[in-house]
């Protein structure tokens, strides 16, 4: 099945080969990478080289980019469509240039949705009255996107339209311990290590996400794990104040986070009971418990580990381009 999928993907990519140097990196390539690096002192990084999970997938992209000695990385996800003819030109604008007295090494654009522009639709505002994530995301975007200035400070980043310079991506990895929201978390990690990531309000992409079968209790659970974890990690940050992350994600990183999670879970549990969805009822009550138990435990254990991972990553990425045999495997453009 994998071979058939790869064959079809290569056929699609072949149509664009006359315009771009383009290649397909597969799970087989990642296995080769893991095998090659085993025993070379980078086991902490190697075990996380995978397409499983957004942070690991994005880190895999950065690793291959570094092997190929790419100065700039543009990330686009599989549920986006580029409609702007000047998209690639806009992508690299300002990167490596001076911004507020220091050089800019990262920026994000924003998603445009089919019917609502950049805004998200707030679902179930009564039931989610303490978990109005879409509302706060819209508030966070309004100021930057509607600004007269093109480059604006932002509290959010979008992994499907993100540009990273090698000076940044070789030092800062995506955090493999975060369940979702790895892009906005990356913005915070970059800031902690002295890098600015801004939003370019002339740089956007159409976002057409597939309908996902996950029920809301599952999405809420991922968010609970995510925000409890980030809240704990911020205790180790000394360059970021919670106020600088207002309105989003700050609203979910305050002392009342667990209260918000419990109330929202109970509201949905009651609704599920009325609809006689006893399976959902149990899962929502489990969410209320998780906020104080498993999510908290994992956050306390994993939050300080990011700094060790980052240190190992920087050393790893420094050595990677020197490994000629590895470059020969991935460089399919004849530039050895």
């Amino acid at each position: 099945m994998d071979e058939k999928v790869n064959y079809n993907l290569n056929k699609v990519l072949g149509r664009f080969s006359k315009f771009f140097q383009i290649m397909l990196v597969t799970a087989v390539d990642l296995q080769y990478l893991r095998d090659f690096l085993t025993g070379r002192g980078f086991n902490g990084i190697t075990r996380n080289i995978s397409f499983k999970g957004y942070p690991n997938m994005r880190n895999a992209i950065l690793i291959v980019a570094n092997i190929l000695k790419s100065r700039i990385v543009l990330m686009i996800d599989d549920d986006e469509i580029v409609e702007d003819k000047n998209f690639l030109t806009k992508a690299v604008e300002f990167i490596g240039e001076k911004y507020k007295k220091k050089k800019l090494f990262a920026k994000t654009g924003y998603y445009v949705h089919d019917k609502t522009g950049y805004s998200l639709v707030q679902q179930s505002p009564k039931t989610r009255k303490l978990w109005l994530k879409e509302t706060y995301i819209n508030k966070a975007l309004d100021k930057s996107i509607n600004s007269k200035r093109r480059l604006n400070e932002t509290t959010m980043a979008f992994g499907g339209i993100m540009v990273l310079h090698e000076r940044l991506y070789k030092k800062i990895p995506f955090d493999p311990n975060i369940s979702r929201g790895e892009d906005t978390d990356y913005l915070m990690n970059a800031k902690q290590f002295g890098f600015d990531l801004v939003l370019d309000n002339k740089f956007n992409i159409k976002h057409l996400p597939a309908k996902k079968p996950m029920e809301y209790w599952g999405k809420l659970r991922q968010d609970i794990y995510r925000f409890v974890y980030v809240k704990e990690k911020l205790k180790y940050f000394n360059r970021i104040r919670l106020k600088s992350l207002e309105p989003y994600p700050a609203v979910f990183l305050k002392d009342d986070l667990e209260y918000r999670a419990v109330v929202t879970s109970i509201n949905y549990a009651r609704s599920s009971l009325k609809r006689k969805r006893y399976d959902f009822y149990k899962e929502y009550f489990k969410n209320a418990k998780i906020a104080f138990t498993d999510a908290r435990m994992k956050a306390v254990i994993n939050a300080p580990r990011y700094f060790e991972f980052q240190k190992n990553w920087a050393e790893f990425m420094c050595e990677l381009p020197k490994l000629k045999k590895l470059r020969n495997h991935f460089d399919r453009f004849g530039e050895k």
Side-chain angles (χ1 to χ4, degrees), residues 166-228:
E166 63 177 342
R167 286 280 297 276
L168 172 60
Y169 79 72
K170 290 171 72 170
K171 185 174 181 179
I172 310 299
F174 287 85
D175 190 339
N177 290 306
I178 195 162
S179 56
R180 66 187 304 185
E182 80 294 337
D183 37 18
T184 293
D185 179 74
Y186 190 87
L187 177 151
M188 289 185 272
N189 298 333
K191 281 189 175 183
Q192 170 59 22
F193 288 94
F195 293 93
D196 289 327
L197 194 157
V198 301
L199 188 146
D200 181 345
N201 63 16
K202 300 297 183 185
F203 184 47
N204 59 64
I205 197 166
K206 178 167 277 190
H207 188 47
L208 298 172
K211 290 185 178 180
K212 299 177 181 178
M214 183 182 291
E215 298 293 343
Y216 185 67
W217 63 261
K219 295 177 183 178
L220 179 60
R221 183 171 299 172
Q222 286 184 343
D223 272 341
I224 290 170
Y225 275 106
R226 165 197 178 182
F227 290 126
V228 171

Side-chain angles (χ1 to χ4, degrees), residues 71-72 87-97 107 163:
R71 190 172 68 91
I72 296 175
F87 183 82
L88 292 179
T89 301
K90 289 180 180 178
V92 298
E93 283 185 287
F94 311 111
I95 300 299
E97 298 179 9
K107 73 175 184 180
V163 185

Side-chain angles (χ1 to χ4, degrees), residues 274-288:
K274 289 180 181 178
R275 293 184 290 119
K276 297 183 179 181
R277 290 304 307 259
Y278 303 117
D279 49 347
F280 289 4
Y281 172 82
K282 291 178 181 178
E283 296 296 346
Y284 280 116
F285 261 103
K286 188 175 179 180
N287 281 355

Side-chain angles (χ1 to χ4, degrees), residues 77 79-81 111-114 120 205-209:
D77 289 345
D79 55 0
E80 271 112 39
I81 297 177
Y111 297 151
V112 175
H113 308 284
D114 218 10
L120 296 173
I205 197 166
K206 178 167 277 190
H207 188 47
L208 298 172

Side-chain angles (χ1 to χ4, degrees), residues 230-247:
V230 175
K231 179 184 171 187
E232 182 67 22
K233 191 163 72 168
L234 282 175
K235 294 178 182 178
Y236 297 87
F237 283 7
N238 57 14
R239 290 189 176 184
I240 300 176
R241 293 185 302 164
L242 189 59
K243 188 175 181 180
S244 70
L245 300 174
E246 294 281 4

